[in-house]
């Protein structure tokens, strides 16, 4: 069993490019072997901004999953699923909406930013205001404790933490908590129940942390406890409310800024991308057309790599000797810009080759992709449904 459960998501709003690969997916691939991972296609989130152009979502969705698989996300290790196929997200979103102060949503920095940035769209909708709350539901419905995200998403994780805290505060002390906890102690059995009570007393009278640890181990091993009872006893031990929804942490990816074809950050909105599965001829063409140091008008003019976007790609794709060759050749006009670009082209193609290979089998047989996703949705639903049972009960909807 893994200690951490990781959840992350991506909106299906267009083709993935190498910026997504270096910034996000490479990290997912690393995480999947070390932790329990759930990777979600956030189609409802895509709808919050794309409600007037829904076709893009379905088009992007399957391609995006193939891109994930091509990049090395392994369905044998990670759970790949679609948000809208797990309606528990919507149910938790609604439940949380009952206790989410409006101000918390209006204060999220991305809210006003995006409304301004996407001013051609009317985003003064209920759904868009609730975007971060839906994201909180995505995370909390799996009780995920780590969420890999970029810097821009940190306020959303903060809101998720605040919502979890508020929810636990309001509903963690269910009616009859004390009696239920005592009944759960009985269920532990005579010997274990007695030991639990002793450890609890030791902690509460002497503040003995070792007693807490011992009690945690005891509860962890107690096979006959339901999840609800186990959590009750954790809370009872330290006289806290029951943690129904645990607070997650943001797992910040080391900001790997992937440069685009023009030297700016690679991004769809700048039109400077190389697709994850861009055809090799097109890669060559795009790199060959890249702007270089404007001082190199003629082949004989020396240049300065620091002023050249191609040089930034050398940082990603070239080894030390190649980079030395570039600096020397550029500053002395010893090499031409097309010579200089060739190792970058080779590097991108080298990176993409295994992706094309992995993607082929899914392109040949799209039912494989559907089966992977169906399986992932089923696994996700099981977890989500367990959480919702607790949530419904805690909110007095257990009938
Ligand atoms: N809002 C995220 C983004 O734009 C996507 C997302 C939706 C997400 N739900 C999530 C990310 C849950 C992490 C966890 O990138
Ligand atoms: Fe840029 Fe290379 Fe040309 Fe120098 S030689 S300007 S680094 S492309």
């Amino acid at each position: 069993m893994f200690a951490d459960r990781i959840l992350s998501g991506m909106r299906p709003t267009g083709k993935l490019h190498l910026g997504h690969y270096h910034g996000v997916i490479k990290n997912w691939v690393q995480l999947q072997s070390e932790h329990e991972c759930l990777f979600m296609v956030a189609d409802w989130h895509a709808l919050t901004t794309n409600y007037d152009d829904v076709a893009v979502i379905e088009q992007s969705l399957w391609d995006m999953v193939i891109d994930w698989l091509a990049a090395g996300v392994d369905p044998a290790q990670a759970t790949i699923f679609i948000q809208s196929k797990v309606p528990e997200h919507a149910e938790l979103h609604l439940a949380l909406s009952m206790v989410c102060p409006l101000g918390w949503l209006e204060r999220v920095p991305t809210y006003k930013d995006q409304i301004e940035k996407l001013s051609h769209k009317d985003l003064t909708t209920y759904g868009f205001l609730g975007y971060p709350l839906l994201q909180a539901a995505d995370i909390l419905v799996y009780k995920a404790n780590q969420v890999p995200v970029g810097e821009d998403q940190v306020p959303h994780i903060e809101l998720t933490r605040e919502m979890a805290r508020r929810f636990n505060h309001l509903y963690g002390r269910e009616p009859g908590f004390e009696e239920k906890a005592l009944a759960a102690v009985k269920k532990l059995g005579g010997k274990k129940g007695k030991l639990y009570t002793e450890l609890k007393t030791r902690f509460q009278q002497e503040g003995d942390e070792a007693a807490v640890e011992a009690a945690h181990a005891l509860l962890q091993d107690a096979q006959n406890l339901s999840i609800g009872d186990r959590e009750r006893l954790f809370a009872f031990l330290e006289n806290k409310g029951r943690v129904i929804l645990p607070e997650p942490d943001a797992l910040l990816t080391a900001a790997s800024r992937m440069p685009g074809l023009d030297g700016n950050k690679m991004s769809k909105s700048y039109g400077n991308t190389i697709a994850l599965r861009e055809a090799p001829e097109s890669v060559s063409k795009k790199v060959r057309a890249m702007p270089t140091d404007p001082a190199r008008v003629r082949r004989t003019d020396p240049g300065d790599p620091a002023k050249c976007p191609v040089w930034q790609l050398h940082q990603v794709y070239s080894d030390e000797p190649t980079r030395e060759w570039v600096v020397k050749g550029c500053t002395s006009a010893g090499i031409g810009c097309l010579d200089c670009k060739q190792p970058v082209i080779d590097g991108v193609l080298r990176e993409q080759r295994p992706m094309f290979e992995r993607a082929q089998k899914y392109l040949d047989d799209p039912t494989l992709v559907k089966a992977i996703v169906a399986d992932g949705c089923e696994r996700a639903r099981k977890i989500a449904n367990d959480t919702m049972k607790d949530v419904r009960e805690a909110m007095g909807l257990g009938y």
Side-chain angles (χ1 to χ4, degrees):
M1 258 321 266
F2 294 114
D4 285 325
R5 179 178 289 152
I6 292 191
L7 175 112
S8 199
M10 213 183 256
R11 286 172 302 147
T13 51
K15 267 203 170 133
L16 293 199
H17 50 68
L18 292 177
H20 294 111
Y21 176 64
H22 285 272
V24 183
I25 305 173
K26 226 164 61 175
N27 188 235
W28 288 7
V29 171
Q30 166 115 36
L31 289 167
Q32 68 184 356
S33 58
E34 300 157 6
H35 305 281
E36 179 186 357
C37 285
L38 295 137
F39 299 130
M40 173 184 79
V41 179
D43 55 346
W44 272 329
H45 275 110
L47 269 179
T48 63
T49 52
N50 269 56
Y51 58 83
D52 56 350
D53 182 16
V54 294
V56 180
I57 298 173
E58 190 179 1
Q59 276 160 25
S60 312
L61 189 147
W62 298 110
D63 266 343
M64 186 167 93
V65 174
I66 294 177
D67 280 338
W68 290 359
L69 296 166
V73 175
D74 175 7
Q77 301 186 70
T79 298
I80 299 174
F81 72 99
I82 298 174
Q83 185 183 33
S84 69
K85 296 285 166 221
V86 184
E88 284 79 2
H89 291 244
E91 188 184 351
L92 184 57
H93 180 205
L94 180 71
L96 295 176
S97 78
M98 305 301 167
V99 295
C100 179
L102 272 180
W104 288 13
L105 294 173
E106 287 159 349
R107 251 192 287 125
V108 173
T110 44
Y111 181 58
K112 289 210 174 83
D113 283 3
Q114 290 290 97
I115 287 187
E116 267 168 44
K117 211 168 131 201
L118 304 175
S119 57
H120 55 287
K121 276 193 186 161
D122 181 6
L123 290 182
T124 57
T125 58
Y126 183 51
F128 188 67
L129 178 66
Y131 184 112
L133 191 63
L134 178 58
Q135 186 163 348
D138 295 339
I139 297 164
L140 297 175
V141 86
Y142 300 104
K143 304 190 179 185
N145 40 8
Q146 304 267 11
V147 187
V149 284
E151 200 71 64
D152 62 315
Q153 296 286 310
V154 170
H156 296 176
I157 308 303
E158 254 324 299
L159 180 92
T160 306
R161 295 170 60 85
E162 283 171 22
M163 283 311 302
R165 236 175 283 147
R166 183 161 166 81
F167 189 92
N168 295 331
H169 173 72
L170 283 165
Y171 302 115
R173 278 277 177 191
E174 66 213 304
F177 174 76
E178 192 94 10
E179 295 83 76
K180 283 186 186 166
L182 288 169
V185 176
K186 282 225 177 82
K187 283 188 211 151
L188 275 175
K191 236 168 91 186
K192 280 193 181 155
K194 201 163 153 236
L195 180 56
Y196 173 87
T197 310
E198 276 167 22
L199 291 167
K200 175 170 153 64
T201 312
R202 238 168 69 200
F203 173 66
Q204 297 200 344
Q205 293 184 355
E206 297 153 42
D208 182 353
E209 293 288 341
V212 175
E213 261 170 55
H216 278 205
L218 181 146
L219 293 175
Q220 221 47 278
D221 286 346
Q223 299 295 338
N224 54 336
L225 280 185
S226 69
I227 295 177
D229 274 342
R230 180 172 292 124
E231 280 173 0
R232 247 166 235 128
L233 290 184
F234 275 125
F236 193 48
L237 184 70
E238 300 177 59
N239 258 347
K240 285 201 277 204
R242 191 159 79 101
V243 174
I244 302 162
L245 300 174
E247 289 177 44
D249 286 313
L251 194 60
L252 277 181
T253 337
S256 57
R257 176 183 172 280
M258 175 69 181
L261 292 164
D262 57 0
N264 291 314
K265 180 185 155 140
M266 189 178 283
S267 158
K268 188 172 77 173
S269 51
Y270 297 141
N272 63 359
T273 61
I274 298 176
L276 199 97
R277 288 179 284 131
E278 181 109 28
E281 316 79 65
S282 175
V283 172
S284 303
K285 215 167 126 193
K286 282 185 171 178
V287 175
R288 285 165 161 265
M290 278 178 73
T292 59
D293 176 0
R296 290 206 77 178
V297 181
R298 275 172 301 249
R299 166 69 175 78
T300 48
D301 296 330
D304 176 3
K307 295 184 179 138
C308 176
V310 179
W311 174 240
Q312 295 192 36
L313 286 178
H314 276 293
Q315 310 292 326
V316 179
Y317 289 105
S318 298
D319 57 12
E320 193 48 42
T322 309
R323 294 206 293 255
E324 273 168 31
W325 170 80
V326 171
V327 173
K328 223 165 122 206
C330 179
T331 52
S332 66
I335 57 171
C337 288
L338 285 179
D339 304 325
C340 179
K341 287 170 170 178
Q342 194 55 47
V344 169
I345 296 172
D346 295 341
V348 174
L349 299 185
R350 203 180 319 115
E351 179 169 81
Q352 289 177 325
R353 205 165 299 127
M355 300 198 206
F356 276 110
E357 282 166 14
R358 275 192 291 257
Q360 198 54 50
K361 102 174 164 198
Y362 301 111
L363 295 168
D364 291 342
D365 183 2
T367 62
L368 287 177
V369 186
K370 304 236 158 141
I372 287 168
V373 170
D375 179 54
C377 293
E378 197 178 318
R379 274 192 278 172
R381 260 203 106 165
K382 279 212 182 87
I383 306 174
N385 194 31
D386 277 345
T387 305
M388 286 317 295
K389 276 191 202 142
D390 286 354
V391 167
R392 287 180 210 121
E393 199 184 316
M395 293 182 91
L397 302 168
Y399 34 80

